[in-house]
Amino acid sequence: GAGVSQSPSNKVTEKGKDVELRCDPISGHTALYWYRQSLGQGLEFLIYFQGNSAPDKSGLPSDRFSAERTGGSVSTLTIQRTQQEDSAVYLCASSKRLAVNNEQFFGPGTRLTVL
Amino acid sequence: GQNIDQPTEMTATEGAIVQINCTYQTSGFNGLFWYQQHAGEAPTFLSYNVLDGLEEKGRFSSFLSRSKGYSYLLLKELQMKDSASYLCAVLRAAGYALNFGKGTSLLVTP
């Protein structure tokens, strides 16, 4: 596609349920990042992937959060046993390669609401 | 860790110039980015600075002083469509993820 796409655009779930959020990066982009944006807070880094290298998971807030990237393209962020504090907009970004000056292109995000 | 500060809100008049400041404290530095985010939309890239000085790109310019831990985004000839949140982000010294400030919400008035 022309840009980074994410699905669903909105997700409402009940506390304790598991959710999966999907990200389709720009074709040919080898690096993929997940961030979340809580109300009144800045974007918070969660995890990034580069090719077949081990992902940098240093931003994941707890072991309830995990992410996979299959075939070097699509990524899924999974949140298990959701809590109300998980409510946020989850943004995915991709870049052509992993480099310090490389622009990250963001998707529209998934708004997660945990009741 | 990294601490990134920017004003929460600013208001400016159409046609005017506005400067949005960003200060940061970091244990390592690999560059500073500015992103624009309209309400309900994805952030879009505006600029990247890694060396001291001013980078100009059309109506937008970005300045960096590494010794002072300071950057600003300068918007000239403001237009109504410039009303948005402006995000300052520092590239972590280890790895490639961005650390973002909370953003500055700019309102351009007629």
Side-chain angles (χ1 to χ4, degrees):
Chain A
V4 177
S5 60
Q6 294 185 243
S7 61
S9 55
N10 280 283
K11 177 71 176 178
V12 180
T13 190
E14 294 179 347
K15 178 181 172 181
K17 301 277 189 182
D18 297 352
V19 295
E20 285 189 352
L21 312 179
R22 177 188 168 104
C23 172
D24 272 284
I26 293 173
S27 178
H29 280 195
T30 59
L32 186 148
Y33 315 77
W34 282 98
Y35 296 87
R36 73 175 176 182
Q37 190 171 31
S38 303
L39 193 62
Q41 301 297 316
L43 272 77
E44 174 190 6
F45 164 72
L46 297 176
I47 185 172
Y48 75 73
F49 298 85
Q50 166 60 26
N52 295 321
S53 302
D56 179 346
K57 304 179 181 180
S58 60
L60 295 178
S62 77
D63 58 8
R64 296 187 294 105
F65 288 71
S66 62
E68 290 185 341
R69 189 177 184 194
T70 55
S73 180
V74 171
S75 177
T76 302
L77 177 70
T78 302
I79 309 173
Q80 296 178 311
R81 306 181 302 282
T82 53
Q83 303 295 313
Q84 288 183 333
E85 60 261 30
D86 299 335
S87 296
V89 177
Y90 288 81
L91 290 160
C92 175
S94 69
S95 62
K96 289 181 183 177
R97 62 188 184 279
L98 210 57
V100 294
N101 63 341
N102 214 18
E103 176 185 350
Q104 295 180 22
F105 293 82
F106 284 83
T110 293
R111 181 175 296 279
L112 175 65
T113 303
V114 182
L115 302 177
Chain B
Q2 296 184 329
N3 192 29
I4 302 168
D5 291 311
Q6 48 182 136
T8 304
E9 295 179 339
M10 298 183 72
T11 301
T13 306
E14 191 176 14
I17 300 173
V18 71
Q19 177 174 312
I20 302 174
N21 296 323
C22 172
T23 57
Y24 63 90
Q25 295 173 315
T26 177
S27 55
F29 180 83
N30 270 331
L32 187 144
F33 290 75
W34 284 95
Y35 278 80
Q36 180 191 61
Q37 187 178 26
H38 286 99
E41 297 183 10
T44 55
F45 170 83
L46 290 178
S47 67
Y48 168 75
N49 294 68
V50 67
L51 300 176
D52 287 355
L54 186 68
E55 296 277 346
E56 298 187 74
K57 189 186 294 185
R59 294 190 298 115
F60 292 5
S61 302
S62 56
F63 171 83
L64 176 67
S65 168
R66 295 183 63 161
S67 62
K68 296 182 179 178
Y70 168 69
S71 173
Y72 68 72
L73 181 69
L74 192 71
L75 292 75
K76 303 176 185 176
E77 302 169 14
L78 281 173
Q79 301 175 10
M80 299 297 288
K81 67 179 182 180
D82 297 329
S83 292
S85 185
Y86 291 85
L87 313 178
C88 174
V90 173
L91 192 61
R92 303 180 338 164
Y96 297 91
L98 293 171
N99 277 10
F100 283 85
K102 293 184 179 181
T104 298
S105 179
L106 173 66
L107 176 64
V108 180
T109 60

